[in-house]
Amino acid sequence: MNPSMRNQLVAFNTLLSKEIKRILRIWPQTLLPPVITMTLYFVIFGQMIGARVGEMGGVSYMQFIVPGLIMMAVITNSYSNVVSSFFSTKFHGSIDELLVSPVSKHTILLGYVAGGVFRGLAIALIVSVVALFFTKLAIVHLGVMLLTILGTSVLFSLGGFINAVFARSFDDISIVPSFILTPLTYLGGVFYSLENLSPFWQNLSLLNPIVYMVNAFRYGILGHSDVNVGYSLVAILAFCAVFYGVAYRLLKDGQRIRIA
């Protein structure tokens, strides 16, 4: 390994280590709330309402919603971790020291994205363990499940980074999650199958990208999906490539990195 690559690897490990330490240090704010929220979903929707719903997609309603709830937790936490962490770096001005250092823009971007992926996957693991107290889960397609959850976590970490670059205040970092991310997630097939919708709403739902992520992940665990899983995986990887290009360009230009 040449010295330049070794230096970049050290910088990446430093950024990732900083993110992991921050997530673990403030775990009551980063890890505990989504676990409590998902547990309430399991109790209310899975146990109380699910008993009246019966089966959906060939499995119990509790089993049906578990993959969607895990994916919901991954999306929101990957996104919120990067947007809050990178905007804090901008707000406190420490981004200047990072930008003038010999660390490449790719390394900076990958370091923050890796932090978001770590938090997203950590939440997914904890929520999955909690879900096992309510129902049984058998992974049918391990490769599809891992590729979907990793790709989705990377995608929304990149989305959080782009949001953080454009944000000018702490209020700005909550606009996208409140008005775009949350509605799309709740309408993304987490709690219902597209088969239960009328043809009009089925076709409209296919315009929601989160539908493909939730269904691909559900296919990995349960073997059931309302959409073509191959198209879903290709779409996730394509969006990751586009978002990475946009995030890298914004970081390289640096026009909105500093807060005036």
Side-chain angles (χ1 to χ4, degrees):
M1 183 181 296
N2 62 58
S4 176
M5 187 176 294
R6 187 184 303 115
N7 291 337
Q8 295 304 318
L9 184 59
V10 170
F12 172 79
N13 288 334
T14 303
L15 283 171
L16 178 57
S17 176
K18 177 184 76 71
E19 287 298 299
I20 292 175
K21 288 179 180 177
R22 186 185 71 87
I23 293 168
L24 297 180
R25 186 180 69 252
I26 56 173
W27 65 270
Q29 301 168 32
T30 55
L31 300 179
L32 190 57
V35 175
I36 294 175
T37 302
M38 292 304 138
T39 303
L40 291 174
Y41 278 126
F42 291 145
V43 173
I44 297 171
F45 288 93
Q47 297 282 46
M48 298 179 182
I49 299 177
R52 298 175 181 270
V53 174
E55 288 193 353
M56 186 170 288
V59 296
S60 70
Y61 187 63
M62 173 65 88
Q63 287 179 309
F64 182 84
I65 65 172
V66 165
L69 291 175
I70 295 173
M71 187 57 72
M72 180 192 289
V74 170
I75 290 171
T76 55
N77 284 278
S78 298
Y79 192 95
S80 61
N81 188 77
V82 179
V83 71
S84 61
S85 178
F86 189 73
F87 182 75
S88 295
T89 305
K90 281 177 55 178
F91 184 79
H92 295 295
S94 53
I95 187 65
D96 293 336
E97 299 171 5
L98 197 56
L99 292 176
V100 299
S101 69
V103 180
S104 80
K105 302 299 185 294
H106 287 295
T107 302
I108 296 173
L109 181 55
L110 289 174
Y112 279 97
V113 169
V117 171
F118 172 81
R119 179 171 165 184
L121 298 185
I123 290 294
L125 179 61
I126 298 171
V127 172
S128 299
V129 172
V130 173
L132 292 176
F133 288 97
F134 295 92
T135 187
K136 295 180 180 178
L137 291 176
I139 300 173
V140 179
H141 303 286
L142 179 61
V144 174
M145 187 202 74
L146 292 177
L147 186 58
T148 303
I149 196 170
L150 182 61
T152 302
S153 184
V154 170
L155 175 59
F156 283 93
S157 294
L158 288 167
F161 188 91
I162 295 171
N163 187 174
V165 171
F166 280 101
R168 310 303 295 175
S169 68
F170 279 102
D171 293 332
D172 292 340
I173 67 176
S174 63
I175 292 176
V176 173
S178 299
F179 295 102
I180 298 177
L181 208 54
T182 300
L184 287 179
T185 304
Y186 276 85
L187 297 174
V190 172
F191 299 103
Y192 55 84
S193 170
L194 297 188
E195 297 173 351
N196 299 107
L197 302 178
S198 65
F200 172 78
W201 289 109
Q202 283 187 28
N203 293 328
L204 191 62
S205 296
L206 295 178
L207 299 177
N208 183 353
I210 294 180
V211 165
Y212 298 90
M213 301 170 197
V214 169
N215 273 277
F217 190 64
R218 182 173 288 137
Y219 177 80
I221 295 180
L222 302 177
H224 172 81
S225 175
D226 294 330
V227 298
N228 187 299
V229 176
Y231 291 160
S232 302
L233 296 177
V234 171
I236 291 170
L237 296 177
F239 273 117
C240 284
V242 172
F243 274 41
Y244 187 90
V246 173
Y248 176 75
R249 174 57 59 182
L250 290 170
L251 184 60
K252 187 176 181 182
D253 289 347
Q255 294 183 359
R256 300 186 66 89
I257 298 297
R258 296 176 180 84
I259 299 177

